[in-house]
Amino acid sequence: MFKRLLPVILTTSCMGMGTNGTQLPAAPTLLPTPIVMGCPQPTQAVNLTTQPKVVEVDLTAAPAQHEWLAGKPTEVWAYNGEVPGPTLRAKVGDTLRVHFHNQLPETTSVHWHGLRVPLAMDGMASEVAPGQSFTFEFKLLDVGTFWYHPHTNTAVQVDRGLYGAIVVEDDQPPVLGQVADEVLVLDDVLVQANSGMMDTTAHDMRMDVMGSEGNVLLVNGAQATREIAVKAGEPRLWRLVNAANSRYFSLQLDGGTMIRVGGDRGWLTAPETVQTLLLVPGERAEVLVTAGATTTTLRVLPFERMMGAGSSGGADLVRLQPSLGTAATPPLPDTLRPFTPPGASILTRDVVFDETMNGMHDMTSMMSQGGMGNMGGTNGMMMQFTINGASYPNVPVLHAHLGSVETWNVRNDSVMAHPLHLHGFAFAVHGQSEWKDTVNIPAGQTVQLDVLFDDRQAARGMWMYHCHILEHADGGMIGMVDVE
Ligand code: C2O
Ligand code: CU
Ligand code: CU
């Protein structure tokens, strides 16, 4: 019922270490990015019921044709035939009912990333065999931008195109005056430039260590750069979702203004003008972007997740061309939503992320000893990602109480960054006024979280937390918290 432990076996043939032993193979080089007009939105799922306060949709996972590269259709796995899958849009307090059908050749599941659903609806407890169906039903408790994706053979299934956005609208949203409310699901995929097919043959040590990275950057399933004609001064609300297996989207806006108004769980307490924004796998942000008098560009910059191993070059994701004239920028409210701080914490615990290779802890010294090059052979090497010293399913189970607040000191003893994600509940980075479910834990650092195990119905039982680099999770970086 849970993800399989997939220990990574490295052999000498896929090493590619530099002579000083400290270099991983380089990240894939990005293919040249064509400019495509407009920023098509994922289809919005059709509501099948007229029942008030219910959104009822059909969702089918199946092989489909899709163009990662324009003009080069290829087989992917998709929800309702599209990548991203349909956007599920509803109002807070609505009930979402999803009739899910699995037409994939393998078992899958649907996880509602960030939603506080009953445990039985989290996806973990309900794998769906090929040809089978399952109806999910739960109430939408939180405003914000969320997403759904499989939690079975996760790295492979998500990479092939199974993901979609969920927008839970406020019934009384702050007045932002924006003209568009758009979903921008960010992803990358590794394809063969000539065929446009996913490149599943490329396998090197970098992938085992860093997670898979693509050579094509995607906005809503299509290769960037998207170009949109706009009025200068007119804000658009963009709901950004990082659906990539491992890529950190280090975003920067050139020209114009970008104001962050929401995070993982909807509105911030106050608007926050930013020029850069780091979105780690699984994380969301809601931003108001306003073009200036000249081209305004949202670009992704290379980001180093581990020493000596940055992602390949940057690219422009979206360009706003102020070719439609000028509009007055409406004023923003000073506050968007109050934040109720978590109550007093009843206990403090350490959650330690690490990785080992054949029992050795420190990759830097392993590499500088030339360790990797000397190993392998027929025995290969075992890369293991650990939490509190063990890999899933052997990570010691945490025990928490419904209705309590805990302090988690999440320490990253490894030499690369890991994004922590917790199912079913929310946390605030200590001292910050923002609820989150996914947060970056930089290498060598500790991030203190106030975790709120909110007392709600059907929330007792075993919940998962894990690294959202999907290859790391599949490689054992998953722990369970038993909430009673
Ligand atoms: Cu986005 Cu456990 O998942
Ligand atoms: Cu999740
Ligand atoms: Cu990780």
Side-chain angles (χ1 to χ4, degrees):
M1 84 192 254
F2 297 117
K3 275 197 285 199
R4 284 170 290 142
L5 169 63
L6 296 174
V8 172
I9 308 296
L10 301 174
T11 59
T12 41
S13 59
C14 54
M15 268 321 106
M17 302 293 298
T19 44
N20 63 3
T22 56
Q23 292 294 315
L24 284 173
T29 306
L30 295 177
L31 296 177
T33 306
I35 294 167
V36 185
M37 295 306 291
C39 189
Q41 287 294 291
T43 307
Q44 196 170 312
V46 179
N47 190 355
L48 302 171
T49 180
T50 52
Q51 241 181 299
K53 303 208 55 74
V54 178
V55 172
E56 180 168 6
V57 301
D58 258 322
L59 192 69
T60 301
Q65 292 286 308
H66 181 76
E67 296 181 9
W68 298 120
L69 300 180
K72 294 181 176 164
T74 182
E75 186 174 282
V76 299
W77 287 0
Y79 291 116
N80 293 4
E82 292 176 21
V83 183
T87 299
L88 310 181
R89 219 177 240 272
K91 279 225 166 18
V92 66
D94 287 359
T95 293
L96 183 61
R97 189 180 299 142
V98 181
H99 302 288
F100 175 70
H101 314 284
N102 180 9
Q103 290 173 9
L104 298 170
E106 66 180 46
T107 295
T108 190
S109 52
V110 191
H111 170 61
W112 314 96
H113 182 125
L115 295 180
R116 292 186 294 137
V117 299
L119 181 59
M121 293 292 139
D122 184 66
M124 313 316 310
S126 50
E127 288 199 315
V128 184
Q132 297 303 117
S133 299
F134 186 88
T135 296
F136 295 89
E137 182 169 331
F138 45 82
K139 201 168 166 177
L140 298 164
L141 304 178
D142 299 294
V143 166
T145 304
F146 306 90
W147 63 301
Y148 59 95
H149 64 76
H151 228 296
T152 306
N153 194 14
T154 315
V156 169
Q157 294 192 4
V158 174
D159 205 32
R160 288 190 178 176
L162 291 168
Y163 56 76
I166 303 170
V167 175
V168 185
E169 293 174 350
D170 204 342
D171 39 12
Q172 287 182 303
V175 179
L176 303 178
Q178 87 276 6
V179 295
D181 178 335
E182 293 172 324
V183 163
L184 271 70
V185 186
L186 309 180
D187 188 17
D188 64 347
V189 66
L190 189 61
V191 302
Q192 290 162 356
N194 50 352
S195 66
M197 278 170 51
M198 283 185 67
D199 198 339
T200 49
T201 56
H203 181 93
D204 61 21
M205 197 186 77
R206 181 185 172 84
M207 261 186 222
D208 295 331
V209 173
M210 305 298 287
S212 65
E213 292 159 300
N215 56 354
V216 174
L217 296 178
L218 303 165
V219 176
N220 293 339
Q223 195 180 13
T225 306
R226 319 302 301 185
E227 193 164 298
I228 313 175
V230 300
K231 276 186 186 164
E234 209 167 55
R236 313 172 79 84
L237 178 67
W238 282 350
R239 301 171 179 275
L240 306 169
V241 179
N242 184 347
N245 281 35
S246 75
R247 182 177 291 268
Y248 278 41
F249 278 87
S250 173
L251 302 170
Q252 176 177 302
L253 192 79
D254 286 340
T257 56
M258 177 159 65
I259 301 172
R260 196 168 75 100
V261 291
D264 282 348
R265 304 237 164 176
W267 310 120
L268 305 181
T269 53
E272 192 181 285
T273 301
V274 292
Q275 216 200 336
T276 59
L277 188 66
L278 178 64
L279 209 62
V280 302
E283 205 174 20
R284 289 87 65 208
E286 294 162 1
V287 291
L288 279 179
V289 174
T290 309
T294 53
T295 307
T296 296
T297 306
L298 183 70
R299 61 173 50 120
V300 57
L301 309 173
F303 182 85
E304 196 166 293
R305 287 193 279 131
M306 187 173 96
M307 42 167 278
S311 65
S312 53
D316 291 357
L317 291 179
V318 188
R319 282 188 208 147
L320 299 177
Q321 295 295 5
S323 54
L324 304 180
T326 306
T329 306
L332 278 185
D334 295 334
T335 58
L336 300 170
R337 180 170 66 171
F339 174 79
T340 313
S345 161
I346 61 161
L347 71 88
T348 298
R349 58 170 101 241
D350 290 337
V351 173
V352 182
F353 280 7
D354 207 349
E355 71 245 329
T356 62
M357 200 179 279
N358 282 2
M360 276 191 287
H361 149 78
D362 180 358
M363 286 226 295
T364 318
S365 58
M366 283 178 328
M367 289 181 183
S368 58
Q369 287 159 12
M372 288 180 173
N374 295 333
M375 298 170 134
T378 49
N379 292 327
M381 219 182 324
M382 178 86 75
M383 181 85 195
Q384 259 193 310
F385 295 95
T386 61
I387 299 177
N388 290 344
S391 287
Y392 182 80
N394 299 317
V395 176
V397 173
L398 308 178
H399 295 273
H401 290 286
L402 215 54
S404 74
V405 174
E406 295 188 355
T407 304
W408 286 18
N409 288 317
V410 187
R411 193 170 88 224
N412 183 350
D413 279 352
S414 80
V415 294
M416 76 178 101
H418 297 281
L420 169 88
H421 169 55
L422 172 65
H423 285 206
F425 299 95
F427 52 76
V429 174
H430 189 72
Q432 293 183 10
S433 319
E434 180 182 346
W435 292 110
K436 294 184 63 57
D437 54 67
T438 307
V439 68
N440 188 37
I441 315 291
Q445 292 188 29
T446 300
V447 177
Q448 191 175 89
L449 306 178
D450 297 324
V451 185
L452 174 60
F453 293 101
D454 67 290
D455 192 356
R456 62 178 205 273
Q457 285 193 347
R460 285 176 204 275
M462 291 281 219
W463 293 89
M464 189 176 268
Y465 65 98
H466 59 89
C467 174
H468 218 286
I469 291 174
L470 300 178
E471 288 78 6
H472 292 178
D474 285 356
M477 214 169 216
I478 297 177
M480 302 298 294
V481 46
D482 187 7
V483 185
E484 290 303 334

